[in-house]
Amino acid sequence: MLSVEQAQAEILGRARVLPTERVDILAALGRVLAEPIRSTRRIPPWPNSSMDGYAVRAADARPSAILRVVDRVIAGSLPTHAVAAGEAVRIFTGAPMPAGADAVVPQEDVDARDGVIALRGAVEPGAYVRPAGEDVREGDLVLEAGRAIGAAEIGLLATLGRTQVTVGRRPRVAVLSTGNELADLGTEPTPAQIPNANTYSLMAQVVEAGGLPLNLGVAPDRLDAISERIARGLEADVLVSSAGVSVGELDLVREALVNAGAELHLWKVDMRPGKPITFGSIAGRPVFGLPGNPVSAMVTFELFVRPMLRAMQGRRAISRATITATALAPIVNRGSRRGYLRVVLEARRGRWGARLTGEQGSGILRSMVSADGLAVVPGDTSIAIGDNVEVIVLREVSA
Ligand code: AMP
Ligand code: MG
């Protein structure tokens, strides 16, 4: 039996970064930067005022000094006078500092009348001056390849005058559900059917992981039907199926994958939920045969498919954050396999507390709906109230 970490290492060992593409910077939100960004600009380009006030020479600025106001400089214009001894220049936030001045006195700290100002106190050199290049200097490496692009990165790219940026291509992921019992969305289940959940939860997980889902629909448990869908799925970069991978006589997904040319590994992985995981490749394309139970499908996607999709985009941060939380109620893992138990997280006096979402059956999709995280609990282990528990954080939780 493989540990989850061993299975993850085997999978990631086969990850290939996809080719890159250039996109407009706003379209790069959430994508992975594929080029290092060096600054071609100095920001700010010149020292400027961080206050509305007066640009002065700090050496002149003794308490009750009187300075003559010789110019006025607003943001968007350039100073025309240098500041000489005994002089000041009226200045506004963001306006370039005039030559000779090395400090700004905020307007509320002076008495101004008839072209002169009286200071009330001393001024430190550099006060309320933002130096040239305090944000970015020319030639700085400002963003490294492999970083996820967020709002701040997009602002910085705009500052550098970049309209487009090179990012990792999104992996296209074909999603197939199998099972005679499945009624797809839009058709009413017959008395012998259940609704298809996995296609939709898995496609959503693909999107959340930065991929583009391709819906292969539902195939009944027939080799020809499954094979036909798999052939269609080969236009994608990754194939993910759910169900039909156990050892029942209607579990035909593995056979169909092998017929399509797949080289497959079937692993028993030390985890619950999740039956054996099928992983392999067809012509260099990763293929995953996930278990059919809705929670098992989602949790195995989370642990095995998501890291692969992130690696394929060139992302450096592959895994979720884990935290150490305090058990707010007993958390019991009765089985011998390591449990990935669904928990709610609550902020408690500066620490996170975790409690089970309720029943943990692998068919209880509502345990995933309520889950903020997955508690990672060794086999045959009871965690008592107040004890630590490791939790993989699945979503933002407000404190
Ligand atoms: P299997 O791996 O084919 O034995 O399926 C395991 C369980 O998951 C069975 O109870 C199936 O009915 C259920 N299941 C399989 N696929 C889906 C799906 N797409 N949506 C909801 N439940 C499913
Ligand atoms: Mg089945």
Side-chain angles (χ1 to χ4, degrees):
M1 185 135 68
L2 293 185
S3 69
V4 166
E5 290 75 15
Q6 284 169 326
Q8 287 171 329
E10 288 278 347
I11 289 168
L12 286 176
R14 290 171 190 263
R16 298 285 169 268
V17 179
L18 293 171
T20 59
E21 61 187 357
R22 273 177 90 71
V23 297
D24 290 348
I25 58 170
L26 189 56
L29 182 65
R31 311 276 304 261
V32 186
L33 190 60
E35 55 171 335
I37 303 291
R38 286 194 179 277
S39 169
T40 49
R41 287 179 172 166
R42 181 166 64 172
I43 303 294
W46 12 253
N48 68 98
S49 177
S50 68
M51 293 290 271
D52 293 341
Y54 295 86
V56 301
R57 298 157 70 114
D60 282 356
R62 292 172 301 278
S64 71
I66 305 285
L67 303 177
R68 207 154 46 82
V69 180
V70 296
D71 192 14
R72 180 171 182 274
V73 52
I74 60 176
S77 65
L78 290 172
T80 52
H81 283 64
V83 174
E87 292 180 348
V89 163
R90 179 79 170 116
I91 196 164
F92 297 90
T93 303
M97 288 291 286
D102 60 357
V104 170
V105 186
Q107 62 191 29
E108 47 274 33
D109 294 348
V110 307
D111 298 308
R113 70 193 119 75
D114 302 334
V116 296
I117 55 170
L119 304 188
R120 298 195 200 120
V123 179
E124 290 291 311
Y128 302 109
V129 177
R130 299 188 283 221
E134 82 164 357
D135 189 1
V136 176
R137 285 160 314 206
E138 236 174 297
D140 279 355
L141 174 65
V142 289
L143 300 172
E144 327 82 65
R147 153 195 285 274
I149 298 178
E153 285 78 4
I154 290 172
L156 191 54
L157 289 165
T159 289
L160 300 179
R162 295 286 301 249
T163 55
Q164 292 201 314
V165 72
T166 307
V167 295
R169 187 159 70 66
R170 293 182 188 281
R172 284 162 304 171
V173 184
V175 175
L176 171 63
S177 287
T178 65
N180 287 334
E181 73 279 36
L182 299 178
D184 207 352
L185 197 57
T187 58
E188 196 52 31
T190 65
Q193 285 185 316
I194 58 161
N196 168 21
N198 295 353
T199 292
Y200 302 95
S201 52
L202 292 172
M203 288 201 300
Q205 285 181 293
V206 166
V207 173
E208 283 181 347
L212 296 170
L214 168 68
N215 185 358
L216 296 179
V218 172
D221 295 309
R222 274 194 350 254
L223 204 50
D224 61 329
I226 299 170
S227 297
E228 182 251 317
R229 306 297 167 114
I230 289 173
R232 196 139 61 76
L234 296 185
E235 69 186 67
D237 302 302
V238 180
L239 178 65
V240 176
S241 73
S242 67
V245 283
S246 335
V247 290
E249 53 200 71
L250 287 181
D251 290 329
L252 300 165
V253 169
R254 289 171 52 75
E255 189 178 341
L257 287 170
V258 169
N259 290 350
E263 192 194 309
L264 287 186
H265 313 287
L266 173 70
W267 294 322
K268 284 207 168 108
V269 181
D270 176 27
M271 65 178 289
R272 201 169 59 118
K275 283 191 201 160
I277 310 299
T278 297
F279 169 70
S281 47
I282 302 180
R285 215 181 264 93
V287 296
F288 294 86
L290 304 182
N293 278 303
V295 176
S296 311
M298 288 195 74
V299 172
T300 51
F301 183 102
E302 174 63 37
L303 295 179
F304 304 115
V305 185
R306 181 178 184 273
M308 172 63 105
L309 300 185
R310 288 170 72 87
M312 291 174 80
Q313 296 163 72
R315 212 179 275 268
R316 276 175 317 166
I318 298 297
S319 332
R320 299 266 193 196
T322 60
I323 58 170
T324 302
T326 305
L328 299 174
I331 297 178
V332 181
N333 178 17
R334 281 202 189 81
S336 60
R337 284 178 287 163
R338 184 199 278 178
Y340 287 84
L341 307 181
R342 278 72 72 205
V343 292
V344 177
L345 292 171
E346 292 171 26
R348 286 284 177 101
R349 279 178 260 106
R351 268 190 70 83
W352 288 108
R355 73 171 79 245
L356 291 176
T357 55
E359 286 300 322
Q360 295 287 312
S362 58
I364 303 177
L365 192 50
R366 286 180 66 182
S367 71
M368 280 303 283
V369 171
S370 324
D372 299 317
L374 297 173
V376 184
V377 185
D380 301 311
T381 298
S382 295
I383 297 173
I385 294 180
D387 283 356
N388 284 344
V389 57
E390 185 195 338
V391 178
I392 299 171
V393 181
L394 293 179
R395 63 183 174 206
E396 241 175 76
V397 185
S398 45

